[in-house]
Amino acid sequence: MNNSHSASYAAAGVNIEAGYEGVRLMKRHVERTLIPGVVSDLGGFGGLFEPDTKGMSRPVLVSGTDGVGTKQRIAQLMDKHDTVGIDCVAMCVNDIVCCGAKPLFFLDYIAIGKNDPEKVATLVSGVAEGCVQAGCALIGGETAEHPGTMAPNDYDLAGFSVGMVDRDKVISQSSMREGDVILALPSSGLHSNGYSLVRKVFDVEHADLSKYCEELGSTLGEALLTPTVIYVKPVLAAIAAAEVHGISHITGGGFYENIPRCVPDGLTARVEKAAVKTPAIFSLLQRVGNIPERDMFNTYNMGVGMTMIVSRDTADKALEALRSHGCNAYVLGDVVSGEDKVALA
């Protein structure tokens, strides 16, 4: 590999040596994520993982893929690239844990205008941190230099994760019933959704993102870059402790799109709006952008990054398990009979 060089390719704008240097720099971050099951080294054509299926009668693989979206534009404007990788992992693993699956491994993809090994390694450091938080391994990835199609400082970060769950333990809406309790798992802020509207409202291309905002208790840039919460460990603990009938990751589409995805016909998830604990960034966004409340709840998580619907008899056990893993969950509402799958009262 050290002898690999193409002057012609370099003249076209692709520096393959920079790619090799990026891999060298990211290795120490990847090593933090290694867990039992990893049977390959970084740099191969495929990442190998041997899952432990002991105790499972019918192991099922669950996959999820996503990106960071235009939130990464904030990172580019602030020249701060060590947290968006957490967002990338979160958007994938938070999806697959909704069916009760434990994430096993993750792979990332970075498209970048000009390959800056230090920047790429910093991006991967965030991905590695996200994997550590989720308890999964970073077993591979790809960095692609795109001269002429992307500006030199631009990049796009995406990835996917694979998890596993016993078929008999998949979270199924068929067990949901009237009287179940809806729990709110707090978000850290905007997470990674609705940033096209965020960028428009705050005019981020011209705003001073480093200016301290009293209302937020931070700079605007810091608030906008706050990483997405990774809920894997508290959710798996709650599943083990309680009778869980439905889980929704509140992403793009907010409450109105995501909560109904786990609610069967004939039932309604009744959410008490007054119970929602909403961080200041949402109030500021709504006021500055003059955004109707309905649109806010139909676009953003409003402070609730995930909802969990549990049996009333085991709600306290679920709350205890979530809180013991650092998630300050609270009761958000209940399940009633009805035609609309979600109602905000």
Side-chain angles (χ1 to χ4, degrees):
M1 184 176 288
N2 291 334
N3 294 326
S4 177
H5 174 73
S6 171
S8 299
Y9 210 10
V14 176
N15 186 344
I16 57 177
E17 286 87 354
Y20 301 149
E21 176 65 6
V23 172
R24 186 188 70 80
L25 292 174
M26 69 178 68
K27 277 189 174 180
R28 65 186 178 90
H29 302 299
V30 175
E31 288 171 355
R32 294 181 58 216
T33 76
L34 299 183
I35 60 174
V38 177
V39 292
S40 61
D41 294 324
L42 191 67
F45 287 101
L48 305 180
F49 192 92
E50 182 179 8
D52 181 2
T53 61
K54 291 193 298 290
M56 291 189 175
S57 59
R58 300 170 61 192
V60 175
L61 295 179
V62 183
S63 60
T65 186
D66 209 336
V68 182
T70 64
K71 181 175 185 175
Q72 58 204 0
R73 181 58 182 159
I74 310 297
Q76 292 162 8
L77 289 169
M78 296 182 64
D79 195 23
K80 178 174 171 52
H81 312 286
D82 59 340
T83 61
V84 287
I86 300 174
D87 293 293
C88 189
V89 175
M91 298 305 291
C92 298
V93 298
N94 284 347
D95 276 356
I96 67 176
V97 80
C98 286
C99 68
K102 181 185 186 302
L104 300 175
F105 58 83
F106 187 88
L107 284 85
D108 61 19
Y109 177 83
I110 302 170
I112 192 165
K114 180 177 176 57
N115 196 337
D116 178 339
E118 292 283 351
K119 181 183 290 185
V120 170
T122 301
L123 286 167
V124 173
S125 75
V127 175
E129 173 60 26
C131 288
V132 169
Q133 292 182 25
C136 66
L138 177 57
I139 64 170
E142 175 71 12
T143 301
E145 195 168 16
H146 289 180
T149 63
M150 300 178 72
N153 290 326
D154 284 351
Y155 58 80
D156 189 27
L157 175 61
F160 82 95
S161 184
V162 173
M164 188 169 62
V165 62
D166 196 327
R167 180 67 182 84
D168 297 331
K169 295 183 179 179
V170 172
I171 305 299
S172 171
Q173 62 177 243
S174 62
S175 57
M176 195 175 298
R177 55 186 178 268
E178 189 172 2
D180 283 351
V181 176
I182 307 171
L183 305 181
L185 283 60
S187 72
S188 57
L190 293 163
H191 283 185
S192 296
N193 303 105
Y195 271 77
S196 293
L197 179 55
V198 166
R199 291 183 300 111
K200 176 185 177 182
V201 168
F202 292 126
D203 189 19
V204 299
E205 299 294 330
H206 305 100
D208 183 359
L209 297 177
S210 63
K211 183 179 180 180
Y212 184 81
C213 176
E214 193 76 35
E215 183 175 349
L216 298 176
S218 69
T219 68
L220 177 60
E222 288 169 340
L224 297 182
L225 269 191
T226 302
T228 305
V229 175
I230 292 177
Y231 296 103
V232 171
K233 292 178 181 178
V235 166
L236 291 177
I239 290 172
E243 188 180 328
V244 179
H245 296 161
I247 305 174
S248 291
H249 184 199
I250 311 301
T251 55
F255 283 50
Y256 287 101
E257 182 176 317
N258 291 290
I259 294 178
R261 294 167 71 174
C262 77
V263 179
D265 292 340
L267 293 178
T268 297
R270 183 172 59 185
V271 173
E272 297 179 22
K273 279 195 295 185
V276 178
K277 300 176 182 179
T278 303
I281 186 63
F282 296 99
S283 302
L284 179 64
L285 175 65
Q286 182 177 4
R287 187 177 71 252
V288 173
N290 193 28
I291 303 170
E293 182 184 70
R294 177 63 162 72
D295 288 358
M296 291 295 294
F297 276 93
N298 208 160
T299 307
Y300 299 103
N301 68 65
M302 298 302 287
V304 180
M306 186 168 280
T307 58
M308 179 177 289
I309 298 177
V310 302
S311 70
R312 186 167 295 276
D313 290 344
T314 63
D316 287 342
K317 292 180 180 178
L319 286 169
E320 182 180 354
L322 292 165
R323 291 168 180 169
S324 69
H325 282 75
C327 179
N328 193 23
Y330 58 92
V331 174
L332 187 63
D334 60 358
V335 174
V336 296
S337 61
E339 296 303 317
D340 296 327
K341 293 191 176 186
V342 65
L344 276 63

